[in-house]
Amino acid sequence: MLVSSIEGAMRTAVVAGIAFAALSQAGPVNYTQKYNWKNHEAEGSSIRALNSDDSWAPLQDYVNTTLWNEHGVDAVALDPNDASRVYIAAGIYTNSWDPYNGKIMSSKDYGKTWSRANFPFKFGGNMAGRQMGERLAVDPNNGSILYFGARSGNGLWKSSDYGKTWAKVTTYTAVGTHIVQPGDNGQNGDIIGLTFITFDSTSSSPGSASRRIFVGTADTSATVYMSEDAGATWAAIPGQPTGFLSHTGKYSPTEKALYVSYVDTANTYGGGDGYVYKYYVQSKTWVKILDDNGTGFGFGGLSLDPQKNGTVMVATYHQWWPDGNIYRSLDGGATWTTIWDFDWSGVQPPVQRRYNWDVSQATWLPEVTGDKATGWMMGTLAIDPFDSDHFLYGTGATVFGSHKLTNWDRNTKFTLSSLSYGMEETAVLGLTSPPQGPPLLSVVGDVGGWKHDNLDVAPAKAFLSPSWGTTRSIDHAGSRPNIVVRSGDDAGGLALSSDSGATWHVHASAGSWTGGRAQLSANGDFVVWAVNNALYVSVDEHPFQKVPNIPSGSYYTANDRKHNGLFYAAENSNFYVSTDAGTSYNKTTSSIGYIREIGVNPFRIGDVWVASTSGIWHSIDSGATFGRVGPATDAYHVQLGKAAVNNGYPAIFAAATIQGWAGHYRSDDGGYTWTLISDDNNGFGTPGNNVYAADPRIYGRVYIGTNGRGIFYGDANAASPVPAAADVYGQCGGQGWTGPKTCAHPWTCKVSNSHYSQCL
């Protein structure tokens, strides 16, 4: 979890209260079943608003496939004189493989609805340097004026009409030169660009444009530029420090001084050196007020307390040992204290903390963070501008904060709490819903995964022994659901549990392999592991054997929940079946499109479903033959859960494109007809980044794991109709027929003529 901006959300919430977003988008089907969706705390970068009870309200749950890149937020800005106006710079990656350009989104109703201004280049909400900033800002004297500092060498942009239209500021030529890792095709290979924009509110009167504006760049020669004529001309501020990148800049109008934190790199995971400087506008002098003194970190998030002149706080930039730290000064940086001190005497514990730790909202945190109670990857920090006792900062695991901050100044301990309820930022990578025990098991990036005993509260414990940062897959044995397997990104990357995920041990033959996708046979004695571009099988934890007759590649695997010997695998467009518990496979087809997911009926042997680039396919003979089902033209996921009371078919859930609309659907009649269950308020991002599980115990319940919004589970509205099914020999179709169009399991609707179809 990496939170790139807090101050904007805090200021919106304090002034405006709760804010929600819901865009009106017409679906492609005539009937959308109302689903009761809930977000289940599970620990992307979408925007939230802070509520008065310390919870966070999402503003972008409307995001679906067509608006996918809006889940990436590169910057947040608020109008300091009109709390209803919120702005975000939306876009995820600047790489060539991201097809979407960036956009500035504007709201004048606290984020309930949004307008969009499209840009001719990309933004990078998940690129390196995303903690720097803010690179989007509203003029405090004239709210119609906004500035945006772009990445990729695209410079500075300005709007004079509340973000509706934008133009490049051609007189500003310093676009930044820093690239974390030149040549990298991932997050580190692009120009970071501009890092922050801030104004001197005292440089003009309300209603006119602020004359003094500061812009930071990711450049080691000149990093801070200033305009004193409302943006007409710009120049690097003379005498400024060089050698490091500007990270965050904040202006104190009472001191007439600019505070700037510096670090030696924009790498998301670490900095090695840095300092904090203060620029006095009237005397035109720079003063170093904080230095890491060669201890191996730089400085990042910085905040001023507007109610307490000279009060400033700054976080270390990714200090990993012994913990991240926060510095606080009450005299403009002349003297500092830290949130913890190191005792070298050996008499006391080495880290002496000024706070007590409260993780009641995320009781699993100590298992993930270990001895790092302050945090790491601390990229943003904010003091509440309306409450000097309230502050928040983001870490690599959660959002921490306190409502008793000024206890620090009295040398009295304050409580540092996890305050991230509703701030689910980690990518969910795997879900499974067993027929007994906990209703859900999950695995996620960065913080491992959980056993979810109660869907209405956050899980109590993370998966331990082994504890991996990123866990890739999880599966339960169909006939013995207490047996669970998971795979993860560290040595010994395969673990087994015999008590539904409460305790674990490393698979005896896991060795040094990591990651991949692991599946259990129905009885739990066989493990098939797709890892190292091959398939391997182990029985009773004996050494893994490579499956000989399946080509190397990237695999999606699945198991039959009822038959211990049946396994399925997909490699590109090829479908394979194993009848000997994964020891060998036979290819049965390569003509159903690129296979993205295999779903199995947990109640029937050999009932297999496939989501592919050509739609949804179904087999009732263990994958020997397939037929295309329903109107989907493209599908990402298909999973099967408990049937309705009056229908023999299981509930089938799919993320698919039907009638041109990409969404989430359910079928109760074997895939003949589909009901759209996603809606304007619940889009779940792009289906390709979702993971699915259907509940085998509760009809109509599906779990959707997202890339940045945690886990949702949805239940069918009790008032919604369930299609009836005709019994054997009953009519199921024909011209003008208005009765049941499906047959109870296991019968099939057979066409006799254009006027009559019958269940046979």
Side-chain angles (χ1 to χ4, degrees):
M1 175 177 178
L2 177 60
V3 181
S4 62
S5 178
I6 287 181
E7 186 169 13
M10 173 187 288
R11 292 168 64 188
T12 299
V14 172
V15 177
I18 300 175
F20 296 91
L23 295 188
S24 177
Q25 297 166 341
V29 294
N30 295 326
Y31 171 65
T32 300
Q33 177 169 335
K34 176 64 177 177
Y35 242 60
N36 300 316
W37 291 106
K38 295 183 179 180
N39 182 258
H40 179 54
E41 180 84 18
E43 258 318 275
S45 54
S46 54
I47 186 172
R48 315 285 193 272
L50 182 63
N51 302 324
S52 59
D53 63 355
D54 285 332
S55 67
W56 295 84
L59 301 183
Q60 290 180 289
D61 277 354
Y62 65 85
V63 171
N64 57 20
T65 301
T66 59
L67 299 171
W68 169 72
N69 71 325
E70 292 182 13
H71 254 175
V73 175
D74 208 3
V76 182
L78 302 165
D79 188 330
N81 298 304
D82 184 353
S84 66
R85 291 189 179 273
V86 186
Y87 302 89
I88 59 177
I92 300 183
Y93 298 103
T94 63
N95 312 83
S96 60
W97 40 262
D98 184 340
Y100 299 107
N101 284 336
K103 61 190 77 169
I104 301 292
M105 299 174 56
S106 308
S107 174
K108 52 185 178 181
D109 54 12
Y110 307 107
K112 294 178 182 178
T113 59
W114 299 93
S115 300
R116 295 162 176 80
N118 294 313
F119 274 64
F121 51 83
K122 299 172 184 179
F123 299 173
N126 206 34
M127 297 293 288
R130 58 188 180 268
Q131 301 140 301
M132 306 171 101
E134 295 291 328
R135 59 174 72 226
L136 177 66
V138 181
D139 190 325
N141 284 304
N142 187 335
S144 67
I145 297 174
L146 293 89
Y147 284 89
F148 173 64
R151 296 173 177 269
S152 312
N154 288 308
L156 183 67
W157 291 68
K158 179 182 179 181
S159 172
S160 299
D161 55 6
Y162 296 96
K164 295 178 183 178
T165 61
W166 291 79
K168 188 173 185 179
V169 180
T170 57
T171 57
Y172 185 91
T173 59
V175 298
T177 61
H178 179 71
I179 300 174
V180 173
Q181 186 179 344
D184 177 57
N185 292 322
Q187 297 172 316
N188 294 321
D190 195 15
I191 294 173
I192 301 298
L194 278 58
T195 59
F196 73 82
I197 300 165
T198 191
F199 301 85
D200 177 0
S201 60
T202 65
S203 62
S204 68
S205 58
S208 59
S210 295
R211 296 190 61 79
R212 184 173 294 118
I213 312 167
F214 302 93
V215 174
T217 68
D219 197 328
T220 56
S221 55
T223 62
V224 183
Y225 291 76
M226 182 174 65
S227 173
E228 295 195 277
D229 52 13
T233 61
W234 300 83
I237 301 177
Q240 65 180 281
T242 59
F244 294 146
L245 316 173
S246 63
H247 183 287
T248 302
K250 301 289 183 181
Y251 187 78
S252 170
T254 54
E255 298 178 89
K256 295 194 178 301
L258 176 71
Y259 290 82
V260 183
S261 59
Y262 290 88
V263 69
D264 62 345
T265 178
N267 190 323
T268 305
Y269 303 102
D273 203 354
Y275 37 55
V276 179
Y277 267 78
K278 189 174 180 181
Y279 175 68
Y280 292 94
V281 171
Q282 292 178 323
S283 63
K284 299 182 180 181
T285 57
W286 289 86
V287 178
K288 181 191 289 186
I289 58 174
L290 188 59
D291 197 320
D292 81 333
N293 295 316
T295 51
F297 56 86
F299 293 97
L302 183 150
S303 186
L304 307 178
D305 185 346
Q307 297 193 48
K308 292 182 175 292
N309 188 37
T311 296
V312 56
M313 294 176 69
V314 61
T316 55
Y317 189 80
H318 304 333
Q319 182 178 1
W320 292 92
W321 186 90
D323 202 349
N325 213 336
I326 299 174
Y327 288 71
R328 179 173 170 87
S329 174
L330 305 180
D331 52 16
T335 60
W336 297 86
T337 54
T338 50
I339 202 168
W340 57 260
D341 297 311
F342 198 86
D343 188 326
W344 296 95
S345 68
V347 177
Q348 303 182 81
V351 179
Q352 298 292 305
R353 305 185 186 279
R354 295 181 182 273
Y355 60 86
N356 299 311
W357 209 37
D358 172 21
V359 292
S360 57
Q361 284 194 11
T363 55
W364 46 267
L365 265 174
E367 301 159 2
V368 174
T369 60
D371 58 357
K372 291 178 174 56
T374 309
W376 68 92
M377 295 174 68
M378 297 156 59
T380 185
L381 180 150
I383 303 170
D384 189 331
F386 306 99
D387 181 359
S388 297
D389 266 319
H390 184 207
F391 89 116
L392 295 168
Y393 64 95
T395 76
T398 189
V399 174
F400 282 116
S402 178
H403 288 280
K404 295 291 183 182
L405 175 60
T406 59
N407 281 8
W408 183 333
D409 307 330
R410 296 186 291 272
N411 206 26
T412 301
K413 280 196 172 184
F414 59 94
T415 299
L416 191 63
S417 304
S418 170
L419 298 176
S420 64
Y421 188 78
M423 185 72 76
E424 299 83 16
E425 288 292 316
T426 292
V428 183
L429 301 179
L431 299 173
T432 190
S433 181
Q436 300 172 17
L440 184 69
L441 300 166
S442 70
V443 291
V444 301
D446 295 340
V447 289
W450 295 276
K451 178 168 74 86
H452 303 265
D453 293 301
N454 184 342
L455 297 178
D456 293 325
V457 298
K461 294 181 64 178
F463 290 146
L464 296 176
S465 302
S467 177
W468 305 314
T470 291
T471 308
R472 295 290 172 181
S473 72
I474 190 162
D475 186 44
H476 71 272
S479 300
R480 301 173 65 190
N482 59 297
I483 300 177
V484 187
V485 67
R486 61 186 171 101
S487 60
D489 285 1
D490 279 303
L494 194 71
L496 292 168
S497 172
S498 59
D499 53 13
S500 301
T503 61
W504 297 83
H505 69 273
V506 173
H507 189 287
S509 300
S512 61
W513 292 350
T514 67
R517 177 180 175 84
Q519 301 287 138
L520 286 168
S521 63
N523 292 341
D525 49 353
F526 286 84
V527 177
V528 171
W529 196 4
V531 66
N532 299 336
N533 293 317
L535 279 184
Y536 297 85
V537 62
S538 167
V539 58
D540 294 328
E541 298 194 57
H542 286 91
F544 279 94
Q545 302 296 319
K546 186 176 181 180
V547 177
N549 57 336
I550 191 167
S552 299
S554 177
Y555 304 101
Y556 190 92
T557 57
N559 54 4
D560 195 286
R561 299 297 188 191
K562 290 293 186 181
H563 190 300
N564 200 52
L566 278 175
F567 275 85
Y568 310 104
E571 184 267 330
N572 293 320
S573 61
N574 303 310
F575 189 89
Y576 295 84
V577 179
S578 171
T579 58
D580 54 10
T583 302
S584 63
Y585 287 81
N586 293 313
K587 184 170 73 172
T588 62
T589 183
S590 59
S591 61
I592 59 176
Y594 182 88
I595 299 169
R596 295 190 177 111
E597 185 164 285
I598 303 169
V600 297
N601 186 340
F603 310 106
R604 182 183 178 188
I605 294 174
D607 194 351
V608 188
W609 297 72
V610 167
S612 83
T613 53
S614 63
I616 297 172
W617 296 77
H618 183 208
S619 171
I620 58 173
D621 54 12
S622 302
T625 60
F626 281 93
R628 189 165 175 267
V629 178
T633 56
D634 189 13
Y636 285 89
H637 305 285
V638 60
Q639 292 294 321
L640 290 81
K642 182 178 173 61
V645 174
N646 64 335
N647 192 328
Y649 287 101
I652 309 168
F653 299 92
T657 300
I658 296 178
Q659 297 179 22
W661 186 261
H664 300 266
Y665 296 85
R666 193 193 74 240
S667 174
D668 293 315
D669 58 8
Y672 181 79
T673 60
W674 294 85
T675 296
L676 181 67
I677 60 175
S678 51
D679 55 41
D680 291 351
N681 298 322
N682 298 281
F684 311 111
T686 177
N689 286 331
N690 294 150
V691 291
Y692 256 45
D695 197 305
R697 289 176 268 188
I698 300 175
Y699 161 71
R701 175 170 289 183
V702 63
Y703 304 93
I704 300 178
T706 71
N707 185 21
R709 271 293 287 134
I711 302 168
F712 285 81
Y713 70 97
D715 289 319
N717 191 312
S720 298
V722 176
D727 212 335
V728 63
Y729 307 127
Q731 185 174 356
C732 56
Q735 185 174 340
W737 175 249
T738 59
K741 295 181 180 180
T742 60
C743 302
H745 179 76
W747 299 290
T748 302
C749 190
K750 302 291 187 181
V751 178
S752 298
N753 52 58
S754 61
H755 298 283
Y756 187 79
S757 298
Q758 186 180 33
C759 291
L760 297 172

